[in-house]
Amino acid sequence: MTDQSNLRCKAFADKIMSAEEAAAFIPAGSNVGMSGFTGSGYPKAVPAALVARMSEAKAQGERFAVSVWTGASTAPELDGALAEVEGIDLRMPYQSDPVSRAKINAGLMEYMDIHLSHVAQMVWEGFFGHMDVAVIEVAGITADGELIPSTSVGNNKTWIDQADKIILEVNSAQPIELEGMHDIYYGTALPPDRLPLQITDPMDRIGVPYLHCPPEKIIAVVPTNSPDRNSPFKPPDADSKQIAAHVLDFLTHEVRKGRLPASLLPLQSGVGNIANAVLMGLGEGPFKGLTSYTEVIQDGMLELLRNGTVSKVSATAFSLSADGLAELNKNIADYRKQIILRPQEISNHPEVIRRLGCLAMNGMIEADIYGNVNSTHLMGSSIVNGIGGSGDFARNAFISMFLSPSTAKGGAISCIVPMASHVDHTEHDTHVIVTEQGLADLRGLPPRRRAQQIIDHCAHPDYQAALQDYLDRATASSGKHTPHLLGEALSWHARYLKEGSMLPA
Ligand code: 0RQ
């Protein structure tokens, strides 16, 4: 009978140690690569042991911090715990933790928010310095010493290549049936040596199921037994159900027009409650046998796989609630036939996204009347999460949709504003905007006609007249191509900061 345990390699027996012993290999001031992507596959034990060392140093009046590079967001026991003790010098490329958000916005932690497909090449180029240590969670190690990736791949291949030393956490709580689900591509290169990626279908495999690591790099193997921890999604509310219904109508219309096949094109769905709710909504629509080439697999996507709406998914990570995780573990034998997890520079690769013609659906903070989208900042200055993969997909998608309720904070904030207070996706990358009020299809429209569509279809009635008035006055008194009143363009944000509401007094 074949060995189904998660630590099959006898050669690493002398490297097995506690998290505390392993964390002692991480010096203050080092650059540390960690696995982890949207709350999955992050190391569970070494970060806590590192935090304990940092706290001890702090108690003695010393500063002990490291730079933390990941795939994307992790979980409170990594991002939150390290941020709490001010143990992070520079964090990149994506986070969504409330404690680390607060430290970044208080100026106590540097953060660099990067397109997720760009991270690996920026590290190869050395912009962040050299990676000293990487702490990587794996689901197991084969008898030959191959690493079975965990619930996320993210940047793990790059971290293992780039770091001087590797600490492995072997998590026996991760299902061993993950073995074989991954496709790790080892052909990436910097220009001029890049070759075309041979992916013409979301299920095409171009790599191998394992991560390779030269054994001499592995300095510690830490056994753990702890599940991924992710927050539950909010159940879809009336607004997200409306948004989902508009998306469904739009896709149905595109099929009728002959611009999309009946099985659509590969779906990409972003992070957050709205994106998850839209996936849930798709399950109630007329579509069957859809595909997905995306970044994360949320609860909503598992549901679509289960009910046959979607038949195959390529991603880089799971991002599941506790219920979602239980469902994955229960039916993993079925899901593994339908799911491929890849490195994030492949899941988010512009070449593949463009070739497959992905239908991108991402959440946003706000959009302006011309379709410039802010996905990351509150009132121009404070980061929420980060751009993540939204730019990789939006810029290269066949249809790029941005979704949001039309207002936030009980109506005090309009998500449709005269001018976006920060721009992640320009008007050129935004094809469709959807709020619970309706959908604006901006394709083929010049700026002033885009503005009219957005005001008429997406703005909340409480803000519609003020937006129309802004557009009319701007059109009467400024350049006519993309009219703005510069003295007023950000006055809605300024009013909110001063008076607690964007609504005119
Ligand atoms: O705050 O929960 O405190 O009330 O922002 O808003 O409406 O629940 O939306 O969960 O879908 O997240 C853009 C953040 C939307 C997400 C963003 C407040 C609102 C609420 C969340 P509360 P919702 P979602 C690939 C794709 C960037 C990364 C990305 C995101 C909270 O989609 O991080 O797309 N996107 N990656 O009240 C002030 C506004 C607001 C506002 C909303 N205009 N002003 N607050 N909120 N609009 C995957 C990866 O990259 C990993």
Side-chain angles (χ1 to χ4, degrees):
M1 196 179 135
T2 52
D3 185 356
Q4 285 298 302
S5 63
N6 69 327
L7 223 175
R8 297 170 216 158
C9 182
K10 305 290 175 256
F12 294 142
D14 60 339
K15 293 181 179 170
I16 296 175
M17 64 183 78
S18 69
E20 290 70 26
E21 289 168 305
F25 289 120
I26 303 176
S30 52
N31 292 325
V32 185
M34 300 252 189
S35 60
F37 200 107
T38 53
S40 60
Y42 57 94
K44 313 288 192 293
V46 174
L50 188 59
V51 166
R53 287 184 63 204
M54 289 168 166
S55 303
E56 278 164 32
K58 209 172 176 183
Q60 289 170 8
E62 288 162 27
R63 180 169 156 73
F64 185 153
V66 297
S67 288
V68 177
W69 313 347
T70 59
S73 52
T74 62
E77 56 263 57
L78 198 171
D79 266 316
L82 280 151
E84 188 68 53
V85 296
E86 283 163 27
I88 303 184
D89 284 326
L90 177 115
R91 179 75 178 88
M92 69 102 167
Y94 182 84
Q95 63 75 44
S96 63
D97 181 82
V99 182
S100 85
R101 184 182 299 144
K103 297 284 179 189
I104 295 164
N105 289 325
L108 297 168
M109 187 200 295
E110 285 195 300
Y111 177 48
M112 199 169 161
D113 176 20
I114 310 170
H115 290 304
L116 294 184
S117 74
H118 286 184
V119 182
Q121 79 168 36
M122 286 197 168
V123 170
W124 297 329
E125 288 177 276
F127 290 119
F128 301 94
H130 184 70
M131 182 176 286
D132 302 291
V133 191
V135 188
I136 308 290
E137 178 181 281
V138 294
I141 306 180
T142 68
D144 305 335
E146 300 278 27
L147 310 180
I148 303 167
S150 182
T151 40
S152 65
V153 178
N155 281 314
N156 292 351
K157 176 206 146 253
T158 303
W159 290 178
I160 290 170
D161 285 349
Q162 293 287 310
D164 292 336
K165 297 171 180 169
I166 309 294
I167 297 171
L168 295 176
E169 285 197 6
V170 185
N171 187 354
S172 51
Q174 299 293 14
I176 201 63
E177 292 87 347
L178 285 168
E179 184 173 2
M181 197 185 260
H182 311 84
D183 187 59
I184 314 296
Y185 178 62
Y186 276 91
T188 39
L190 285 171
D193 298 318
R194 280 191 180 147
L195 297 172
L197 291 178
Q198 302 295 338
I199 298 177
T200 55
D201 178 279
M203 292 313 265
D204 282 344
R205 286 181 173 271
I206 57 171
V208 293
Y210 303 106
L211 289 159
H212 302 301
C213 181
E216 61 279 10
K217 271 195 173 187
I218 299 174
I219 54 169
V221 174
V222 180
T224 62
N225 184 289
S226 180
D228 288 331
R229 192 145 70 92
N230 237 325
S231 4
F233 292 101
K234 288 186 205 157
D237 59 9
D239 280 356
S240 28
K241 284 187 184 158
Q242 263 318 116
I243 291 172
H246 296 315
V247 171
L248 226 70
D249 279 353
F250 169 73
L251 295 173
T252 309
H253 175 258
E254 289 302 291
V255 172
R256 213 176 299 126
K257 281 274 180 190
R259 287 191 287 250
L260 286 178
S263 57
L264 305 180
L265 289 167
L267 304 168
Q268 178 260 335
S269 157
V271 289
N273 293 306
I274 305 295
N276 193 54
V278 169
L279 289 181
M280 301 266 188
L282 266 173
E284 287 152 28
F287 304 109
K288 288 281 168 241
L290 309 186
T291 63
S292 174
Y293 195 83
T294 189
E295 184 181 292
V296 294
I297 298 176
Q298 313 201 86
D299 291 23
M301 186 60 83
L302 281 193
E303 169 88 35
L304 295 185
L305 283 168
R306 215 168 34 241
N307 67 26
T309 307
V310 170
S311 60
K312 46 193 180 179
V313 184
S314 162
T316 191
F318 290 100
S319 179
L320 301 170
S321 69
D323 288 349
L325 199 58
E327 164 60 25
L328 172 72
N329 290 349
K330 194 169 87 193
N331 292 311
I332 192 157
D334 294 332
Y335 288 122
R336 47 179 281 146
K337 295 179 207 140
Q338 302 176 292
I339 294 175
I340 293 183
L341 298 182
R342 311 175 188 274
Q344 71 193 61
E345 74 265 30
I346 307 299
S347 65
N348 288 28
H349 203 294
E351 173 195 335
V352 182
I353 295 165
R354 181 66 68 93
R355 176 182 303 126
L356 298 181
C358 289
L359 305 176
M361 300 179 284
N362 289 294
M364 64 175 184
I365 302 281
E366 63 184 5
D368 69 22
I369 52 175
Y370 298 109
N372 297 291
V373 166
N374 169 11
S375 292
T376 56
H377 283 69
L378 298 184
M379 304 299 143
S381 304
S382 296
I383 192 89
V384 179
N385 300 324
I387 192 168
S390 56
D392 295 322
F393 283 92
R395 179 76 183 89
N396 300 292
F398 189 63
I399 305 177
S400 173
M401 295 171 250
F402 282 100
L403 329 169
S404 170
S406 66
T407 61
K409 305 298 167 206
I413 292 177
S414 174
C415 298
I416 305 296
V417 289
M419 183 181 263
S421 63
H422 174 95
V423 177
D424 296 289
H425 314 287
T426 73
E427 54 173 318
H428 313 283
D429 299 338
T430 308
H431 298 144
V432 171
I433 290 190
V434 194
T435 69
E436 82 291 351
Q437 299 295 324
L439 180 145
D441 183 353
L442 308 175
R443 294 170 301 170
L445 299 183
R448 279 184 286 138
R449 285 167 63 195
R450 296 161 72 90
Q452 202 56 60
Q453 281 289 316
I454 294 174
I455 295 171
D456 290 349
H457 297 290
C458 299
H460 191 276
D462 290 352
Y463 290 96
Q464 230 162 5
L467 287 165
Q468 188 66 53
D469 175 55
Y470 177 86
L471 177 63
D472 293 344
R473 285 184 298 113
T475 305
S477 65
S478 73
K480 303 278 184 279
H481 182 60
T482 308
H484 267 302
L485 300 169
L486 288 186
E488 221 181 283
L490 295 171
S491 64
W492 291 34
H493 300 84
R495 185 159 57 239
Y496 175 77
L497 289 175
K498 200 161 159 232
E499 297 166 15
S501 175
M502 283 186 178
L503 281 167

